[in-house]
Amino acid sequence: MSKSPVHSPTHAIAALNLNNDDAFGDDDDEDLSPAFTREAIRQELERHLPPALEPTWDDDADSEHNTASSTGAFFSAAGVTVSPSVNGGAYGQEGEWTSPTLQSPPSGHFSRLNTSTRTEVHSDSDISPIRPGFKSLPASARKLEEERDHPYPSVIIDAPSHRVTLTSEFKPRTSDEARSSTSSPPHTEASSSASAIPAIAAAGAGVVAAVSSASAPIIAAQPQIPTSPSSSSSLPNTTSKNLLTEKPYNHKYNRSSGGPSAFEKVRSKTRPVFLPPKPRQEDDKHMADWQHMMKQSRVAAEKRRKALQDRRLVREKAIEESLHIWEREIVPDWKVVFKNPQLRKLWWRGIPTKLRASMWEKAAGNPLALSKDHFRICSSRAKRALASGVFPQDILGLIEEDVRTTLPGLHIFHPETGPLYSDLKDILYAWVVARSDEGLGYILGAARVAAMMLINLPIQNAFNVMRNLLDRHCLRSFYGGEQAKDDVEAYYRIFDTLLADGMPKIYFNFKQHQISPSAYLLDWLIPLFLNHLPFEACARVWDVLILEGDSFLFRAAIGILAVLEPRLFFPDRRELLELLQGENKPALEVAKRDGISLDGGKYEIYGVDEETLWDRIDQMEDWWKESTWTRLIQRELPDL
């Protein structure tokens, strides 16, 4: 408890007379001087001491002893006990205060530094708990002090050696003792001791011992407990040991074995965890509504798939019914479709299956002037290279990997049971030998193109159509490797321009996420969409691609983005790239739940099929112009 500052008592102070010119004259000095007498100090102490600690004075005792006792009681409230010195004490013969000088160092005036007013050791023989400045406490108060336990161990501070030791083990308070301690008056010894210990520890070497015995230890007031030297330990080690070994109180929650837990009763399944839970009735109602909506969504999705299937059957039936038109008008001269818009539209609806081989071969042409024996010649060269071991081993590994992942849903190119497995490898070996004359190697994805050709054409014709199709400038650039890097970059710029004109929202979203066409367009064009589109949709795209040329590659790519548009506005770049690669995890989980086969095109999980894709391609008729494509080619690739 902090005490108010004590002012020196003054007596017979003359009142100032401001009207008198000699108010500050020399004759008033005697009246204004303070007098430090025994009676003045005693009255000042009686005025500032608490009522409960009021001392009893013994007039028969020695005057110097009473003066020292009263002075010690006065200063012990701040944790410092002042006693008169034997050699020229703190007080003179007439009670005047004598300040310390060089001849009388501070050690001659401060006999003890006490952290508490509970006890003070005046000498080695006197260890009775007597308060400084008092004779003794009443018997009831003394008994109460002896029974009270202090929460801290007894601390001994040796000033000369600067050593702090404990004299007893740490003893935690019980709840009753803590309650009684907190309810004690603020001027009790415990509070003063607790507040004085940090001050003493901070003082360190600045503490000075008594005059008579400079090496006497300074004891923090505690109930005196006899200890042995072996039981003493340093303060940090003992405290850490007891704090670590003492087990904290842990609250254990015992969940009942039957029925939902308390958490389950309030947990909400229809609200985020960072919001307060809903009432149970409201939560059950919302959960039922959500289940009903999901059921309706599945029913609507099933109806939509059925409607698309019906449209496909109707379209295929119309194609079969138009077979006679094909045989009568288009088969004799296929170029008539460029003159007749109705026949061109008929071609766009899809070539009949029985006419697809002949129409592809005629529309692809033979700009390379390949003979019918071209495949046989290249295949024989490949077999000799394989037999002699000069065929590059790294290319053989790429071919094996590419064939193993080609159209796994059809099972006709399986390494063990596929009937077209050997034919596919032969056509790829021959294709590598034919490209070796130009210094080109193998490109992953070529197996898909060769597989589609083998499904519709004999192996010799499939090889020639494949070579002529991939020799068109756009596909030749993408299959040209590092040699055609500049042309590939030019086609990327062309696609960016078309995307910005036709779908500015998607274009701006890609720019925000820094996604260029190289992140997805290369994977689409190398296998000619066979990795991402269903087989039927891809076959129809190939029908028009062989007729229209390179421009339709970009039109089909923009049509795919149009189908994916509702899914393309992810805030995260990584999620957007996963979607473009066909590896979006939530969509894959939904596809597994709905039983959608994952062996077809990667975009089947997004609902991309033949009907939806061609709806978007047909809607591009309003803004797509071949003149725009020609202008962009002339700007980016002027050498063509």
Side-chain angles (χ1 to χ4, degrees):
M1 174 180 133
S2 61
K3 292 184 177 295
S4 59
V6 179
H7 302 281
S8 300
T10 59
H11 297 274
I13 299 177
L16 295 179
N17 187 4
L18 299 180
N19 295 327
N20 189 358
D21 295 336
D22 295 333
F24 297 93
D26 296 335
D27 55 339
D28 296 332
D29 292 341
E30 295 180 357
D31 298 332
L32 295 174
S33 61
F36 288 93
T37 64
R38 181 185 305 173
E39 295 298 329
I41 294 174
R42 178 179 296 182
Q43 293 174 6
E44 188 67 16
L45 292 176
E46 291 175 353
R47 203 164 46 246
H48 287 83
L49 282 177
L53 301 176
E54 185 175 357
T56 58
W57 302 97
D58 188 1
D59 295 336
D60 298 334
D62 183 72
S63 60
E64 293 181 1
H65 177 73
N66 289 336
T67 304
S69 301
S70 61
T71 309
F74 174 69
F75 285 97
S76 64
V80 180
T81 304
V82 181
S83 63
S85 174
V86 177
N87 301 325
Y91 291 92
Q93 296 295 329
E94 297 180 357
E96 293 84 7
W97 171 259
T98 303
S99 62
T101 61
L102 294 175
Q103 288 75 15
S104 61
S107 61
H109 299 274
F110 295 93
S111 63
R112 304 293 170 124
L113 181 62
N114 196 356
T115 60
S116 173
T117 59
R118 180 189 291 269
T119 60
E120 180 184 357
V121 180
H122 294 279
S123 65
D124 295 337
S125 61
D126 185 10
I127 59 172
S128 61
I130 302 176
R131 293 182 177 276
F134 302 95
K135 285 187 174 181
S136 63
L137 292 176
S140 59
R142 187 164 59 252
K143 183 178 180 180
L144 179 62
E145 288 188 9
E146 292 175 354
E147 294 178 353
R148 182 181 302 166
D149 289 333
H150 199 274
Y152 298 97
S154 298
V155 182
I156 297 179
I157 304 176
D158 192 354
S161 62
H162 313 300
R163 183 177 181 183
V164 182
T165 58
L166 294 178
T167 60
S168 64
E169 292 291 335
F170 176 79
K171 180 180 180 181
R173 281 187 180 180
T174 62
S175 59
D176 295 338
E177 292 171 346
R179 192 179 302 108
S180 63
S181 175
T182 55
S183 62
S184 61
H187 61 271
T188 57
E189 295 81 7
S191 61
S192 62
S193 173
S195 62
I197 288 177
I200 294 176
V207 180
V208 184
V211 177
S212 59
S213 177
S215 62
I218 300 171
I219 304 176
Q222 290 292 331
Q224 300 299 318
I225 303 175
T227 57
S228 60
S230 61
S231 63
S232 301
S233 60
S234 63
L235 177 61
N237 295 338
T238 304
T239 306
S240 302
K241 177 181 178 181
N242 287 281
L243 292 178
L244 290 175
T245 57
E246 185 178 353
K247 294 182 179 180
Y249 174 72
N250 294 328
H251 174 73
K252 294 183 179 180
Y253 172 74
N254 295 326
R255 181 177 178 180
S256 69
S257 57
S261 64
F263 174 72
E264 290 292 337
K265 291 180 181 179
V266 298
R267 186 170 70 95
S268 176
K269 298 181 180 179
T270 60
R271 180 172 288 185
V273 294
F274 53 82
L275 294 178
K278 299 178 183 178
R280 176 53 56 188
Q281 293 180 352
E282 183 180 358
D283 190 64
D284 293 342
K285 179 180 179 300
H286 290 175
M287 179 60 70
D289 293 342
W290 177 80
Q291 292 176 353
H292 180 66
M293 287 188 295
M294 292 301 296
K295 182 178 179 180
Q296 287 183 334
S297 175
R298 286 190 290 268
V299 171
E302 186 63 29
K303 289 182 178 179
R304 184 168 56 253
R305 283 195 293 267
K306 190 175 183 304
L308 292 175
Q309 185 69 17
D310 294 340
R311 289 175 54 185
R312 177 186 171 187
L313 294 176
V314 171
R315 184 183 55 81
E316 290 180 354
K317 185 178 179 180
I319 292 175
E320 295 297 331
E321 293 176 352
S322 62
L323 182 59
H324 65 283
I325 301 176
W326 280 88
E327 293 176 347
R328 186 179 66 249
E329 299 185 15
I330 300 177
V331 171
D333 185 9
W334 68 273
K335 295 182 179 180
V336 71
V337 297
F338 295 110
K339 304 175 183 178
N340 190 338
Q342 296 297 327
L343 296 178
R344 192 169 190 172
K345 186 179 294 185
L346 185 64
W347 188 299
W348 275 55
R349 291 176 184 171
I351 302 175
T353 306
K354 64 178 299 184
L355 299 178
R356 181 164 285 160
S358 59
M359 291 295 101
W360 279 10
E361 192 172 0
K362 291 180 179 179
N366 190 14
L368 295 178
L370 303 177
S371 63
K372 294 182 179 180
D373 295 333
H374 180 63
F375 170 74
R376 184 179 57 80
I377 296 172
C378 293
S379 181
S380 60
R381 291 174 55 189
K383 289 178 180 180
R384 287 196 299 270
L386 289 171
S388 60
V390 298
F391 203 97
Q393 295 298 319
D394 55 342
I395 292 181
L396 287 176
L398 291 176
I399 291 176
E400 288 291 341
E401 177 184 355
D402 208 8
V403 170
R404 187 174 60 254
T405 58
T406 296
L407 300 176
L410 297 181
H411 303 287
I412 59 177
F413 302 106
H414 193 272
E416 297 178 358
T417 59
L420 297 180
Y421 171 73
S422 59
D423 290 347
L424 180 58
K425 291 185 67 174
D426 290 343
I427 196 174
L428 292 176
Y429 292 154
W431 183 69
V432 169
V433 169
R435 283 165 57 88
S436 63
D437 297 339
E438 305 175 18
L440 301 176
Y442 186 81
I443 302 295
L444 282 174
R448 275 78 167 171
V449 179
M452 179 65 89
M453 296 296 178
L454 284 175
I455 292 173
N456 293 276
L457 295 165
I459 187 171
Q460 296 86 356
N461 298 347
F463 181 76
N464 289 349
V465 172
M466 178 181 176
R467 286 216 60 197
N468 284 290
L469 178 64
L470 296 184
D471 195 65
R472 295 181 179 182
H473 190 270
C474 181
L475 292 176
R476 180 181 176 84
S477 300
F478 281 97
Y479 275 90
E482 292 295 329
Q483 301 178 9
K485 183 177 179 180
D486 295 338
D487 292 344
V488 171
E489 293 294 334
Y491 280 111
Y492 285 157
R493 291 192 297 270
I494 292 173
F495 183 81
D496 250 348
T497 304
L498 294 173
L499 184 62
D501 291 343
M503 297 180 178
K505 291 183 179 180
I506 297 178
Y507 172 81
F508 181 72
N509 184 46
F510 283 173
K511 289 301 179 183
Q512 276 188 323
H513 291 86
Q514 298 180 355
I515 295 179
S516 65
S518 61
Y520 55 93
L521 193 61
L522 185 67
D523 295 336
W524 291 354
L525 299 187
I526 289 292
L528 294 178
F529 308 106
L530 270 171
N531 275 348
H532 298 82
L533 296 181
F535 182 80
E536 296 82 3
C538 198
R540 187 175 175 184
V541 168
W542 280 42
D543 290 343
V544 184
L545 170 63
I546 294 176
L547 175 68
E548 300 292 346
D550 296 340
S551 64
F552 190 76
L553 282 172
F554 290 78
R555 186 168 178 174
I558 294 177
I560 293 174
L561 291 178
V563 179
L564 299 177
E565 182 177 9
R567 302 172 180 264
L568 292 178
F569 298 97
F570 280 98
D572 184 63
R573 183 177 185 271
R574 180 183 58 82
E575 289 185 274
L576 185 54
L577 288 175
E578 287 179 355
L579 185 138
L580 291 173
Q581 294 168 2
E583 299 174 356
N584 184 256
K585 294 180 180 178
L588 289 172
E589 293 296 329
V590 172
K592 292 178 181 178
R593 184 192 65 190
D594 295 342
I596 299 176
S597 175
L598 302 179
D599 294 335
K602 293 182 178 180
Y603 289 169
E604 281 189 295
I605 61 176
Y606 306 139
V608 180
D609 53 20
E610 181 181 353
E611 301 300 327
T612 56
L613 175 61
W614 281 92
D615 283 342
R616 301 302 191 278
I617 293 176
D618 291 339
Q619 292 173 7
M620 294 167 58
E621 197 68 33
D622 298 334
W623 60 272
W624 180 274
K625 295 180 176 58
E626 290 295 328
S627 58
T628 303
W629 170 261
T630 304
R631 177 175 56 82
L632 291 175
I633 289 293
Q634 292 175 354
R635 185 188 71 182
E636 300 293 342
L637 298 167
D639 297 337
L640 289 181

